[in-house]
Amino acid sequence: LICAAGIENLGASYQTGRWATADNKFEQQRECIENALKIYSSLVKVPSIKVAHCHLFLCEVYEELCKPAAAKEHANMAVKTVKTARSTLSTAFLARLLKLLGRVILDSGESDDAIGYLQESADLYRRCYGQNSIQEASSLALMARAYHDAGRNDISQSHLEKANAICKATKKNDEFSLWTRSQTLAGLGRSYLEPDSTEATKAIDFLERSLDIRLRLYGYEHPMSALTMTALGRAYLVNQQHLIAKVKLQRALEIQEIVLHPDHPDKAMTMQVLGNVERRCENWSEAIRLLKQSLSIRQQVFGNYHHDAAFVKTDLAVALLEVSRKEEALQLLQDALEVKRRRFGEHHIEMAIAYGCLRDAYLAMGDDRMAKECSRLHTDIMQRLPSRSSHFS
């Protein structure tokens, strides 16, 4: 048992070690944790929680290695272990484990499944620490992200506002409290970057504050710092401050090249936003290169029919239209439309964006009949949305 714990701790140490490349670091973690898991599983009296921890740890490692199938398998094994052992766990420990499990499942793209675990985690934290604890806020911030990814932005915003109120009332400056505060601020920043929002300056304020905390916690060369810089770059882009956006995004990409797997989704996100900056600056060839690279990573990690791939296809199609590559653009937009319809339903802001882009493509090709139909569908969706969305039409 002592030997297994030592190997597990060695695996954990690679998470912050700067002496290896990203690929080597995660492979070394995987080897250590799998060896620890084998020992734990062979012992009769080992606490099941140790086995569950190893599965969750391996899930995170396989995520970083861009192997979603293996990550999901270990997440499912952790679920089974927790269900078997939950009667022997303390309330606080079970809440922490369920929150970690929810986050891991959320990172794999299964937001609906994640919501259940995160909700149970928040309920257990309330039972253990009372109402409005910083622990509850940490689960609410993650739950907000899950609802956002599920397209339920009203619930997401409500959870973020509650988490933010708790963070403001909490005077602690320990690492966990600061992490929760930065997570909540980043979520609030992203909420003001939705297609139906016109408040990019608020997004910039929240994201700058989140980045300041993350730099204090982790320094520059950390994935969380880079991810916040990407969100900031997007906010400056929306606010039409293209030069600042480009600087933030190039710095984020430099960090991600060092600390992440070559095909990590966070890199794809940064490339997508940077590609859109180049498009706004009319650097078409560079924009198309970055967007194609982003799409390739998304397709490799998530497959061709994932909504993240659909978002990049839309941006790439708009860039291709600018250089008169109309047939390529139309095919990408038609693919994106079908994926968005399955993911969001017919009356969602993303569908309005898809129809608006298709309208432009058909106009460029001289097909006025299809352009008129897409324009009608676009207008119909926009009229059904809350009034603050009207600027996007």
Side-chain angles (χ1 to χ4, degrees), residues 335-364:
D335 291 348
L337 178 72
E338 291 307 312
V339 173
K340 288 181 177 183
R341 179 181 285 121
R342 287 198 299 268
R343 181 68 178 83
F344 300 110
E346 188 65 34
H347 301 108
H348 191 276
I349 183 68
E350 288 295 340
M351 290 297 290
I353 295 171
Y355 282 124
C357 292
L358 271 170
R359 173 198 59 204
D360 295 342
Y362 282 121
L363 282 173

mmCIF file of all heavy atoms in Angstrom, residues 335-364:
data_model
loop_
_atom_site.group_PDB
_atom_site.id
_atom_site.type_symbol
_atom_site.label_atom_id
_atom_site.label_comp_id
_atom_site.label_asym_id
_atom_site.label_seq_id
_atom_site.Cartn_x
_atom_site.Cartn_y
_atom_site.Cartn_z
ATOM 1 N N ASP A 335 -22.541 21.319 -43.758
ATOM 2 C CA ASP A 335 -22.147 20.350 -42.720
ATOM 3 C C ASP A 335 -22.372 20.932 -41.325
ATOM 4 O O ASP A 335 -22.912 20.276 -40.433
ATOM 5 C CB ASP A 335 -20.672 19.976 -42.874
ATOM 6 C CG ASP A 335 -20.401 19.147 -44.115
ATOM 7 O OD1 ASP A 335 -21.366 18.668 -44.741
ATOM 8 O OD2 ASP A 335 -19.206 18.987 -44.466
ATOM 9 N N ALA A 336 -21.947 22.192 -41.141
ATOM 10 C CA ALA A 336 -22.075 22.840 -39.831
ATOM 11 C C ALA A 336 -23.533 22.993 -39.437
ATOM 12 O O ALA A 336 -23.901 22.816 -38.272
ATOM 13 C CB ALA A 336 -21.380 24.203 -39.858
ATOM 14 N N LEU A 337 -24.389 23.320 -40.408
ATOM 15 C CA LEU A 337 -25.817 23.503 -40.129
ATOM 16 C C LEU A 337 -26.432 22.247 -39.543
ATOM 17 O O LEU A 337 -27.165 22.304 -38.546
ATOM 18 C CB LEU A 337 -26.549 23.896 -41.416
ATOM 19 C CG LEU A 337 -28.071 24.080 -41.288
ATOM 20 C CD1 LEU A 337 -28.390 25.349 -40.511
ATOM 21 C CD2 LEU A 337 -28.729 24.110 -42.667
ATOM 22 N N GLU A 338 -26.134 21.092 -40.127
ATOM 23 C CA GLU A 338 -26.731 19.838 -39.651
ATOM 24 C C GLU A 338 -26.254 19.488 -38.245
ATOM 25 O O GLU A 338 -27.029 19.023 -37.412
ATOM 26 C CB GLU A 338 -26.404 18.701 -40.626
ATOM 27 C CG GLU A 338 -27.100 18.822 -41.963
ATOM 28 C CD GLU A 338 -28.606 19.004 -41.800
ATOM 29 O OE1 GLU A 338 -29.224 18.244 -41.026
ATOM 30 O OE2 GLU A 338 -29.167 19.923 -42.419
ATOM 31 N N VAL A 339 -24.967 19.716 -37.980
ATOM 32 C CA VAL A 339 -24.433 19.424 -36.640
ATOM 33 C C VAL A 339 -25.073 20.348 -35.607
ATOM 34 O O VAL A 339 -25.484 19.907 -34.524
ATOM 35 C CB VAL A 339 -22.895 19.572 -36.629
ATOM 36 C CG1 VAL A 339 -22.358 19.435 -35.202
ATOM 37 C CG2 VAL A 339 -22.244 18.533 -37.533
ATOM 38 N N LYS A 340 -25.179 21.637 -35.928
ATOM 39 C CA LYS A 340 -25.782 22.591 -34.993
ATOM 40 C C LYS A 340 -27.248 22.293 -34.758
ATOM 41 O O LYS A 340 -27.756 22.451 -33.638
ATOM 42 C CB LYS A 340 -25.612 24.021 -35.531
ATOM 43 C CG LYS A 340 -24.183 24.540 -35.456
ATOM 44 C CD LYS A 340 -24.086 25.966 -35.986
ATOM 45 C CE LYS A 340 -22.691 26.518 -35.846
ATOM 46 N NZ LYS A 340 -22.593 27.927 -36.295
ATOM 47 N N ARG A 341 -27.961 21.851 -35.800
ATOM 48 C CA ARG A 341 -29.378 21.521 -35.622
ATOM 49 C C ARG A 341 -29.537 20.363 -34.631
ATOM 50 O O ARG A 341 -30.404 20.394 -33.761
ATOM 51 C CB ARG A 341 -30.006 21.155 -36.972
ATOM 52 C CG ARG A 341 -31.488 20.783 -36.855
ATOM 53 C CD ARG A 341 -32.094 20.413 -38.184
ATOM 54 N NE ARG A 341 -32.333 21.588 -39.003
ATOM 55 C CZ ARG A 341 -31.811 21.804 -40.207
ATOM 56 N NH1 ARG A 341 -30.971 20.921 -40.729
ATOM 57 N NH2 ARG A 341 -32.105 22.893 -40.880
ATOM 58 N N ARG A 342 -28.678 19.336 -34.763
ATOM 59 C CA ARG A 342 -28.751 18.197 -33.830
ATOM 60 C C ARG A 342 -28.366 18.616 -32.417
ATOM 61 O O ARG A 342 -28.918 18.104 -31.445
ATOM 62 C CB ARG A 342 -27.827 17.064 -34.306
ATOM 63 C CG ARG A 342 -28.331 16.321 -35.526
ATOM 64 C CD ARG A 342 -27.634 14.972 -35.669
ATOM 65 N NE ARG A 342 -26.198 15.125 -35.843
ATOM 66 C CZ ARG A 342 -25.601 15.204 -37.026
ATOM 67 N NH1 ARG A 342 -26.313 15.160 -38.128
ATOM 68 N NH2 ARG A 342 -24.292 15.333 -37.103
ATOM 69 N N ARG A 343 -27.419 19.545 -32.309
ATOM 70 C CA ARG A 343 -26.898 19.915 -30.979
ATOM 71 C C ARG A 343 -27.788 20.929 -30.266
ATOM 72 O O ARG A 343 -28.022 20.840 -29.064
ATOM 73 C CB ARG A 343 -25.484 20.499 -31.144
ATOM 74 C CG ARG A 343 -24.805 20.901 -29.830
ATOM 75 C CD ARG A 343 -24.487 19.677 -29.013
ATOM 76 N NE ARG A 343 -23.795 20.017 -27.790
ATOM 77 C CZ ARG A 343 -24.372 20.423 -26.678
ATOM 78 N NH1 ARG A 343 -25.681 20.579 -26.648
ATOM 79 N NH2 ARG A 343 -23.663 20.675 -25.605
ATOM 80 N N PHE A 344 -28.325 21.924 -30.999
ATOM 81 C CA PHE A 344 -29.003 23.047 -30.358
ATOM 82 C C PHE A 344 -30.500 23.132 -30.652
ATOM 83 O O PHE A 344 -31.200 23.917 -30.019
ATOM 84 C CB PHE A 344 -28.351 24.369 -30.784
ATOM 85 C CG PHE A 344 -26.898 24.481 -30.438
ATOM 86 C CD1 PHE A 344 -25.926 24.448 -31.430
ATOM 87 C CD2 PHE A 344 -26.489 24.605 -29.120
ATOM 88 C CE1 PHE A 344 -24.575 24.547 -31.115
ATOM 89 C CE2 PHE A 344 -25.151 24.704 -28.795
ATOM 90 C CZ PHE A 344 -24.191 24.674 -29.801
ATOM 91 N N GLY A 345 -30.995 22.358 -31.610
ATOM 92 C CA GLY A 345 -32.386 22.532 -32.014
ATOM 93 C C GLY A 345 -32.501 23.634 -33.061
ATOM 94 O O GLY A 345 -31.527 24.307 -33.397
ATOM 95 N N GLU A 346 -33.720 23.843 -33.567
ATOM 96 C CA GLU A 346 -33.913 24.744 -34.698
ATOM 97 C C GLU A 346 -33.912 26.216 -34.315
ATOM 98 O O GLU A 346 -33.526 27.067 -35.107
ATOM 99 C CB GLU A 346 -35.239 24.399 -35.397
ATOM 100 C CG GLU A 346 -35.478 25.136 -36.710
ATOM 101 C CD GLU A 346 -34.475 24.759 -37.795
ATOM 102 O OE1 GLU A 346 -34.033 23.588 -37.831
ATOM 103 O OE2 GLU A 346 -34.109 25.648 -38.587
ATOM 104 N N HIS A 347 -34.343 26.550 -33.084
ATOM 105 C CA HIS A 347 -34.542 27.958 -32.729
ATOM 106 C C HIS A 347 -33.498 28.445 -31.724
ATOM 107 O O HIS A 347 -33.814 28.869 -30.617
ATOM 108 C CB HIS A 347 -35.963 28.164 -32.198
ATOM 109 C CG HIS A 347 -37.006 27.783 -33.194
ATOM 110 N ND1 HIS A 347 -37.784 26.648 -33.056
ATOM 111 C CD2 HIS A 347 -37.374 28.371 -34.366
ATOM 112 C CE1 HIS A 347 -38.602 26.561 -34.096
ATOM 113 N NE2 HIS A 347 -38.367 27.587 -34.903
ATOM 114 N N HIS A 348 -32.241 28.385 -32.136
ATOM 115 C CA HIS A 348 -31.119 28.784 -31.302
ATOM 116 C C HIS A 348 -30.293 29.814 -32.064
ATOM 117 O O HIS A 348 -30.258 29.810 -33.300
ATOM 118 C CB HIS A 348 -30.269 27.551 -30.955
ATOM 119 C CG HIS A 348 -29.234 27.786 -29.906
ATOM 120 N ND1 HIS A 348 -27.987 28.320 -30.176
ATOM 121 C CD2 HIS A 348 -29.249 27.559 -28.570
ATOM 122 C CE1 HIS A 348 -27.287 28.404 -29.055
ATOM 123 N NE2 HIS A 348 -28.026 27.952 -28.072
ATOM 124 N N ILE A 349 -29.626 30.707 -31.330
ATOM 125 C CA ILE A 349 -28.819 31.754 -31.950
ATOM 126 C C ILE A 349 -27.786 31.176 -32.914
ATOM 127 O O ILE A 349 -27.500 31.754 -33.976
ATOM 128 C CB ILE A 349 -28.131 32.633 -30.860
ATOM 129 C CG1 ILE A 349 -27.336 33.788 -31.489
ATOM 130 C CG2 ILE A 349 -27.240 31.800 -29.972
ATOM 131 C CD1 ILE A 349 -28.168 34.829 -32.148
ATOM 132 N N GLU A 350 -27.232 29.988 -32.593
ATOM 133 C CA GLU A 350 -26.254 29.370 -33.477
ATOM 134 C C GLU A 350 -26.864 28.978 -34.817
ATOM 135 O O GLU A 350 -26.192 29.000 -35.855
ATOM 136 C CB GLU A 350 -25.613 28.153 -32.804
ATOM 137 C CG GLU A 350 -24.657 28.486 -31.675
ATOM 138 C CD GLU A 350 -23.424 29.253 -32.137
ATOM 139 O OE1 GLU A 350 -23.115 29.208 -33.355
ATOM 140 O OE2 GLU A 350 -22.774 29.897 -31.304
ATOM 141 N N MET A 351 -28.142 28.611 -34.804
ATOM 142 C CA MET A 351 -28.818 28.298 -36.069
ATOM 143 C C MET A 351 -29.029 29.577 -36.894
ATOM 144 O O MET A 351 -28.932 29.561 -38.124
ATOM 145 C CB MET A 351 -30.144 27.605 -35.796
ATOM 146 C CG MET A 351 -30.001 26.197 -35.243
ATOM 147 S SD MET A 351 -29.169 25.090 -36.400
ATOM 148 C CE MET A 351 -30.431 24.940 -37.662
ATOM 149 N N ALA A 352 -29.315 30.680 -36.215
ATOM 150 C CA ALA A 352 -29.451 31.955 -36.926
ATOM 151 C C ALA A 352 -28.130 32.329 -37.600
ATOM 152 O O ALA A 352 -28.107 32.791 -38.748
ATOM 153 C CB ALA A 352 -29.889 33.052 -35.966
ATOM 154 N N ILE A 353 -27.014 32.125 -36.875
ATOM 155 C CA ILE A 353 -25.701 32.401 -37.454
ATOM 156 C C ILE A 353 -25.471 31.521 -38.679
ATOM 157 O O ILE A 353 -25.004 31.983 -39.729
ATOM 158 C CB ILE A 353 -24.596 32.158 -36.404
ATOM 159 C CG1 ILE A 353 -24.724 33.155 -35.252
ATOM 160 C CG2 ILE A 353 -23.213 32.249 -37.043
ATOM 161 C CD1 ILE A 353 -23.815 32.848 -34.074
ATOM 162 N N ALA A 354 -25.820 30.235 -38.555
ATOM 163 C CA ALA A 354 -25.610 29.295 -39.665
ATOM 164 C C ALA A 354 -26.409 29.707 -40.900
ATOM 165 O O ALA A 354 -25.883 29.711 -42.028
ATOM 166 C CB ALA A 354 -25.998 27.886 -39.228
ATOM 167 N N TYR A 355 -27.684 30.067 -40.696
ATOM 168 C CA TYR A 355 -28.510 30.481 -41.838
ATOM 169 C C TYR A 355 -28.018 31.803 -42.437
ATOM 170 O O TYR A 355 -28.057 32.005 -43.650
ATOM 171 C CB TYR A 355 -29.971 30.609 -41.423
ATOM 172 C CG TYR A 355 -30.686 29.287 -41.304
ATOM 173 C CD1 TYR A 355 -31.319 28.917 -40.112
ATOM 174 C CD2 TYR A 355 -30.736 28.400 -42.383
ATOM 175 C CE1 TYR A 355 -31.980 27.702 -39.997
ATOM 176 C CE2 TYR A 355 -31.395 27.177 -42.263
ATOM 177 C CZ TYR A 355 -32.009 26.839 -41.077
ATOM 178 O OH TYR A 355 -32.662 25.624 -40.961
ATOM 179 N N GLY A 356 -27.544 32.716 -41.589
ATOM 180 C CA GLY A 356 -27.008 33.973 -42.091
ATOM 181 C C GLY A 356 -25.784 33.758 -42.971
ATOM 182 O O GLY A 356 -25.643 34.380 -44.031
ATOM 183 N N CYS A 357 -24.894 32.845 -42.548
ATOM 184 C CA CYS A 357 -23.700 32.553 -43.347
ATOM 185 C C CYS A 357 -24.074 31.839 -44.654
ATOM 186 O O CYS A 357 -23.495 32.115 -45.711
ATOM 187 C CB CYS A 357 -22.718 31.702 -42.537
ATOM 188 S SG CYS A 357 -21.979 32.563 -41.137
ATOM 189 N N LEU A 358 -25.043 30.919 -44.566
ATOM 190 C CA LEU A 358 -25.496 30.236 -45.778
ATOM 191 C C LEU A 358 -26.130 31.220 -46.772
ATOM 192 O O LEU A 358 -25.937 31.105 -47.986
ATOM 193 C CB LEU A 358 -26.506 29.152 -45.414
ATOM 194 C CG LEU A 358 -25.932 27.769 -45.097
ATOM 195 C CD1 LEU A 358 -27.006 26.864 -44.512
ATOM 196 C CD2 LEU A 358 -25.332 27.120 -46.340
ATOM 197 N N ARG A 359 -26.879 32.188 -46.255
ATOM 198 C CA ARG A 359 -27.455 33.229 -47.109
ATOM 199 C C ARG A 359 -26.362 33.942 -47.902
ATOM 200 O O ARG A 359 -26.482 34.124 -49.124
ATOM 201 C CB ARG A 359 -28.219 34.227 -46.247
ATOM 202 C CG ARG A 359 -28.738 35.468 -46.986
ATOM 203 C CD ARG A 359 -29.067 36.562 -45.988
ATOM 204 N NE ARG A 359 -27.890 36.939 -45.195
ATOM 205 C CZ ARG A 359 -27.950 37.498 -43.984
ATOM 206 N NH1 ARG A 359 -29.114 37.737 -43.398
ATOM 207 N NH2 ARG A 359 -26.833 37.812 -43.343
ATOM 208 N N ASP A 360 -25.272 34.305 -47.201
ATOM 209 C CA ASP A 360 -24.177 35.005 -47.871
ATOM 210 C C ASP A 360 -23.509 34.127 -48.925
ATOM 211 O O ASP A 360 -23.112 34.603 -49.993
ATOM 212 C CB ASP A 360 -23.146 35.465 -46.840
ATOM 213 C CG ASP A 360 -23.708 36.507 -45.879
ATOM 214 O OD1 ASP A 360 -24.747 37.110 -46.204
ATOM 215 O OD2 ASP A 360 -23.109 36.708 -44.808
ATOM 216 N N ALA A 361 -23.388 32.818 -48.597
ATOM 217 C CA ALA A 361 -22.769 31.898 -49.563
ATOM 218 C C ALA A 361 -23.620 31.756 -50.819
ATOM 219 O O ALA A 361 -23.101 31.784 -51.947
ATOM 220 C CB ALA A 361 -22.549 30.538 -48.906
ATOM 221 N N TYR A 362 -24.935 31.604 -50.639
ATOM 222 C CA TYR A 362 -25.818 31.460 -51.803
ATOM 223 C C TYR A 362 -25.846 32.750 -52.631
ATOM 224 O O TYR A 362 -25.903 32.711 -53.860
ATOM 225 C CB TYR A 362 -27.223 31.082 -51.357
ATOM 226 C CG TYR A 362 -27.364 29.620 -50.994
ATOM 227 C CD1 TYR A 362 -27.769 29.231 -49.710
ATOM 228 C CD2 TYR A 362 -27.096 28.620 -51.922
ATOM 229 C CE1 TYR A 362 -27.899 27.885 -49.374
ATOM 230 C CE2 TYR A 362 -27.207 27.278 -51.598
ATOM 231 C CZ TYR A 362 -27.609 26.914 -50.318
ATOM 232 O OH TYR A 362 -27.734 25.581 -50.002
ATOM 233 N N LEU A 363 -25.804 33.898 -51.967
ATOM 234 C CA LEU A 363 -25.743 35.173 -52.700
ATOM 235 C C LEU A 363 -24.471 35.255 -53.538
ATOM 236 O O LEU A 363 -24.493 35.705 -54.693
ATOM 237 C CB LEU A 363 -25.808 36.344 -51.722
ATOM 238 C CG LEU A 363 -27.182 36.699 -51.157
ATOM 239 C CD1 LEU A 363 -27.049 37.758 -50.067
ATOM 240 C CD2 LEU A 363 -28.133 37.187 -52.264
ATOM 241 N N ALA A 364 -23.339 34.815 -52.939
ATOM 242 C CA ALA A 364 -22.069 34.840 -53.667
ATOM 243 C C ALA A 364 -22.099 33.921 -54.886
ATOM 244 O O ALA A 364 -21.437 34.186 -55.895
ATOM 245 C CB ALA A 364 -20.924 34.437 -52.736
#
